[in-house]
C-alpha cells in the first residue's frame, strides 16, 4: 500500500513553536506528530509513502530518512500552498499504477483506527467522525449507504459528519483525472483547489464512496489541541520513570537522557531529549528537547526546543486581611 502525506503547511496557529520547526515535527507524548502517523501506517501495512513538503521541508525529510529506513519514501515540494487538491496533484507522478489503491492521510492529525479492513474495501472509502461544529471541515452527506455529496467547510452544513483526513482511493487514475480537471481549468473553491471537489467529480461520474468511523482522531493544529492530544496519548500507554529526588505522577513521558532534579513531574507531562528541569512542578505540559526549566510551576504550557524558563518560588509571611500580588 502506498500513501501520500501532505505536510507542507506553515502551522501559523502554533506559533511561536513553528517559527523554527515544522508543525509535524512538534513533540507530543515523546514523539513528533509525523512519527505517530508513520508508526501507525507501518503497523497497518503501508510500505511506501510520498511526503509533500514545503515549509522547512528539509527538516521533515531528515527526520523521516533518519528514523524510517524500512519505509520507502520520496519527497515532493509544494512551493505554493494552493489547497489540499493541489498538494495531491503535485504528487501525481507517485500515484500507484492502475489497479492498485492509494491512501491519502493528512499530516497534522493523529488517528487511532485499524485500516486493514479499509484496505480490503471494494470501493473508495473516507474516514469520518461526528463533530460538534462541522464548519471547519469537509462534510459528507449520505444516501443509500454511500456518499452523495461532499462540501468543503460549509457555512450551513447539512450534516455533522466531518471528513477527517483519511482517504482510501480504490482507483487513483480516476482521482488524477478529476484533479487535472480542477488545476488545468483553474476551478477553485474559496481560493484553493479542494480535494473534496475532485472527489465530488468522481461521485458525479458514478464512483462509489463509503465511509468508515474514526473515533480516535486527534487534532494537533492549535496549542490547546496539541496538549489535549498529549494527554490522550500518555493516558493510552501510561509510563512512569523513577528518579531519585523526583516525584513523578503518571502518566508522563520523560526522555531517558533528560535531567530532572528536585521536581514534581506530572500528570500528563512530556519531557524531551536532553531537557533539564530543576526545582519545578510540571504538569499537563510539553517541554521540548534541550530546554532548561528551573524554579517554576508550569501547567497547560508548551516550551519549545532549546527554550529556557526560569523563575523563583516565593516565601510569604502575610497577616490577616493582607493582599499580595506577584507581578
Amino acid at each position: 500500500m502506498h500513501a501520500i502525506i501532505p505536510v507542507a503547511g506553515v502551522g501559523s496557529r502554533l506559533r511561536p513553536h513553528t517559527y523554527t520547526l515544522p508543525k509535524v515535527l512538534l513533540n507530543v507524548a515523546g514523539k513528533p506528530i509525523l512519527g505517530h502517523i508513520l508508526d501507525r501506517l507501518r503497523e497497518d501495512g503501508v510500505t511506501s509513502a510520498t511526503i509533500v513538503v514545503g515549509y522547512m521541508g528539509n527538516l521533515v525529510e531528515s527526520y523521516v530518512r533518519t528514523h524510517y529506513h524500512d519505509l520507502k519514501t520520496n519527497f515532493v515540494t509544494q512551493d505554493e500552498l494552493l489547497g489540499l487538491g493541489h498538494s495531491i496533484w503535485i504528487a501525481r507522478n507517485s500515484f500507484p499504477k492502475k489497479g492498485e489503491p492509494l491512501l491519502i492521510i493528512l499530516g497534522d492529525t493523529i488517528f487511532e483506527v485499524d485500516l486493514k479492513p479499509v484496505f480490503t474495501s471494494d470501493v473508495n472509502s473516507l474516514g469520518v467522525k461526528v463533530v460538534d461544529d462541522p464548519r471547519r471541515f469537509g462534510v459528507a452527506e449520505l444516501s443509500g449507504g454511500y456518499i452523495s455529496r461532499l462540501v468543503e467547510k460549509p457555512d450551513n452544513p447539512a450534516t455533522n459528519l466531518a471528513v477527517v483526513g483519511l482517504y482510501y482511493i480504490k482507483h487513483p487514475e480516476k482521482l488524477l483525472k478529476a484533479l487535472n480537471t480542477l488545476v488545468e481549468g483553474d476551478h477553485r473553491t474559496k481560493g484553493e483547489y479542494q480535494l473534496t471537489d475532485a472527489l465530488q467529480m468522481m461521485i458525479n461520474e458514478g464512483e462509489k464512496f463509503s465511509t468508515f468511523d474514526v473515533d480516535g482522531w486527534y487534532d494537533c493544529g492549535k496549542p490547546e489541541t496539541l496538549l489535549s492530544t498529549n494527554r490522550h496519548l500518555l493516558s493510552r500507554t501510561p509510563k512512569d520513570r523513577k528518579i531519585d529526588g523526583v516525584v513523578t505522577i503518571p502518566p508522563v513521558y520523560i526522555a531517558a537522557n533528560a535531567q530532572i532534579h528536585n521536581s514534581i513531574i506530572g500528570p500528563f507531562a512530556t519531557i524531551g531529549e536532553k531537557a533539564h528541569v530543576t526545582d519545578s512542578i510540571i504538569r499537563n505540559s510539553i517541554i521540548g528537547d534541550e530546554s532548561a526549566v528551573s524554579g517554576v510551576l508550569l501547567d497547560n504550557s508548551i516550551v519549545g526546543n532549546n527554550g529556557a524558563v526560569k523563575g523563583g518560588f516565593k516565601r510569604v509571611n502575610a497577616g490577616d486581611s493582607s493582599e499580595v500580588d506577584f507581578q
Side-chain angles (χ1 to χ4, degrees), residues 172-307:
E173 69 278 4
K174 296 183 179 181
L175 172 61
L176 180 55
K177 178 183 175 182
L179 289 172
N180 283 335
T181 299
L182 281 184
V183 177
E184 293 171 3
D186 196 27
H187 300 300
R188 308 190 191 195
T189 298
K190 298 184 178 179
E192 296 182 336
Y193 302 110
Q194 303 290 354
L195 179 59
T196 48
D197 289 343
L199 299 177
Q200 185 65 50
M201 287 183 185
M202 295 172 66
I203 293 171
N204 293 344
E205 292 184 2
E207 277 289 291
K208 289 185 177 181
F209 280 80
S210 64
T211 62
F212 60 95
D213 294 331
V214 184
D215 290 328
W217 173 76
Y218 307 100
D219 183 17
C220 298
K222 300 182 292 183
E224 57 268 31
T225 59
L226 189 70
L227 287 171
S228 66
T229 297
N230 183 66
R231 287 195 301 271
H232 169 78
L233 293 177
L234 290 176
S235 297
R236 191 172 57 106
T237 55
K239 294 181 179 179
D240 194 7
R241 178 180 162 193
K242 303 300 181 183
I243 305 172
D244 290 342
V246 175
V247 176
T248 57
I249 306 172
V252 298
Y253 173 86
I254 301 173
N257 56 9
Q259 300 296 314
I260 317 292
H261 304 283
N262 192 35
S263 296
I264 300 173
I265 308 297
F268 307 115
T270 289
I271 311 296
E273 302 287 332
K274 298 181 181 179
H276 286 75
V277 178
T278 304
D279 300 326
S280 297
I281 300 173
I282 312 292
R283 63 193 184 209
N284 192 34
S285 297
I286 300 171
I287 309 300
D289 297 345
E290 301 187 40
S291 292
V293 175
S294 63
V296 295
L297 187 159
L298 292 181
D299 186 22
N300 255 356
S301 301
I302 303 173
V303 177
N305 295 342
N306 301 294

Side-chain angles (χ1 to χ4, degrees), residues 96-107:
K97 61 184 181 182
K98 188 173 182 179
E100 297 181 4
L102 170 69
L103 178 70
I104 299 169
I105 175 170
L106 303 191

